[in-house]
Amino acid sequence: MSGLSIQNVHKSFSLDGRAVPALENVSIELEAGQFGALIGPSGCGKSTLLRMVADVFSPTAGQIAIDGAPPQQARRDHQIGFVFQEATLLPWRSVIENVRLPLEVLGRGHTPARTPEELVRLVGLAGYEHAYPSQLSGGMQQRCAIARALVASPRILLLDEPFGALDEVMRYRMNFELLRIRAETRTTALMVTHSIEEAVLMADRVFVFAAKPGRVIETVEVDLPRPRRLATMDDPRFNATVDRVRHALFGGLAHDIDHQIEAEHV
């Protein structure tokens, strides 16, 4: 199957000589060009899973494949783009120089599908090619980071809370910018988020996690047409899907939350 396939993945870390499970029996499927969102409480292993897809960590057990190849191969072929919560731009390089950086690392043998100049225009930074990160807003810095992640024409784009540090208005603006960019690039994407509304707005499939150990407790299909617009959030299907994700996310916590509230009022 082309796209992203995660099959029965487990991940444990060593702590004081004992194995501590971080993820247990996680299975996720995305077809090529689909957008997946990971949502769950802090510490449930979402970012760990993203880094295993990026070949930063290896699974303790299970398999991960990107377009049928292991993450190691996809990384060696420079087929993985990664966008972090912070833009992590080099402050001494301009916008266009930051976007060009992966191509400089790859060397002359790599021909991108889009030039850095085209990607700068695609992410809405035309006219800012020679600006430095300190001269850009947070949203503009993230646009530059997205362009840099796409410049090598990756098969998959991984996003770890890319808009978590932005205010709500700018966050939604960036959501729609990313939707527009992906509509043109058709890159498979997997994003970590703590916002239920953002997950439903962006994704084709939302994977709801529980913690200790991290595991997928529900996969929610998002039956909303694309392109998604602001009016999408008024669609009854949007609100119904948000409610379904919320119930899945808080269902396992409801008893603990109610017990804590009762204890505090005794």
Side-chain angles (χ1 to χ4, degrees):
M1 172 181 169
S2 61
L4 174 65
S5 178
I6 299 173
Q7 292 292 325
N8 305 316
V9 161
H10 296 251
K11 180 63 179 177
S12 297
F13 292 98
S14 178
L15 179 64
D16 297 329
R18 60 189 177 90
V20 177
L23 290 166
E24 180 179 82
N25 199 33
V26 173
S27 294
I28 285 174
E29 298 284 347
L30 286 176
E31 296 179 8
Q34 280 193 318
F35 196 119
L38 310 179
I39 190 165
S42 296
C44 69
K46 303 182 300 297
S47 293
T48 297
L49 182 63
L50 215 64
R51 281 157 176 76
M52 284 195 288
V53 176
D55 194 38
V56 176
F57 300 143
S58 297
T60 304
Q63 294 184 329
I64 300 174
I66 300 170
D67 285 346
Q72 299 94 321
Q73 185 64 50
R75 176 181 54 79
R76 286 194 294 265
D77 292 342
H78 309 286
Q79 293 300 314
I80 301 171
F82 209 122
V83 180
F84 301 91
Q85 184 171 351
E86 299 295 332
T88 63
L89 302 176
L90 297 180
W92 59 89
R93 295 180 70 114
S94 66
V95 165
I96 193 66
E97 289 170 341
N98 267 287
V99 175
R100 282 180 184 148
L101 180 60
L103 298 181
E104 294 175 10
V105 173
L106 292 175
R108 295 184 178 181
H110 188 87
T111 303
R114 286 178 169 84
T115 67
E117 291 77 12
E118 288 172 332
L119 281 169
V120 167
R121 291 193 294 271
L122 179 65
V123 300
L125 289 178
Y128 291 89
E129 291 87 348
H130 303 294
Y132 289 90
S134 62
Q135 299 171 307
L136 305 176
S137 69
M140 294 170 77
Q141 289 181 25
Q142 282 300 74
R143 292 184 192 194
C144 183
I146 291 169
R148 182 182 59 187
L150 292 171
V151 74
S153 308
R155 294 176 186 167
I156 188 165
L157 180 65
L158 305 175
L159 305 112
D160 194 357
E161 285 219 79
F163 311 130
L166 304 179
D167 65 72
E168 188 170 8
V169 173
M170 180 56 70
R171 183 171 188 151
Y172 278 120
R173 288 187 64 181
M174 290 303 301
N175 287 160
F176 288 110
E177 282 295 309
L178 180 57
L179 286 171
R180 178 184 61 80
I181 293 164
R182 277 205 63 260
E184 292 201 30
T185 62
R186 299 185 180 276
T187 307
T188 306
L190 187 63
M191 179 176 72
V192 168
T193 178
H194 282 108
S195 167
I196 298 173
E197 289 79 7
E198 181 175 68
V200 173
L201 178 64
M202 305 296 289
D204 299 298
R205 310 186 82 191
V206 179
F207 304 96
V208 184
F209 276 66
K212 296 181 181 180
R215 62 202 184 278
V216 177
I217 55 174
E218 188 163 349
T219 298
V220 178
E221 303 286 345
V222 182
D223 182 23
L224 291 167
R226 295 186 185 273
R228 309 253 170 99
R229 299 184 172 87
L230 192 60
T232 300
M233 301 176 74
D234 296 323
D235 190 318
R237 291 172 295 179
F238 177 85
N239 295 308
T241 308
V242 166
D243 285 344
R244 182 178 170 189
V245 174
R246 182 181 293 113
H247 290 155
L249 185 60
F250 288 100
L253 301 174
H255 179 269
D256 291 341
I257 292 172
D258 291 343
H259 180 75
Q260 181 179 352
I261 292 173
E262 290 172 4
E264 290 174 351
H265 287 82
V266 170

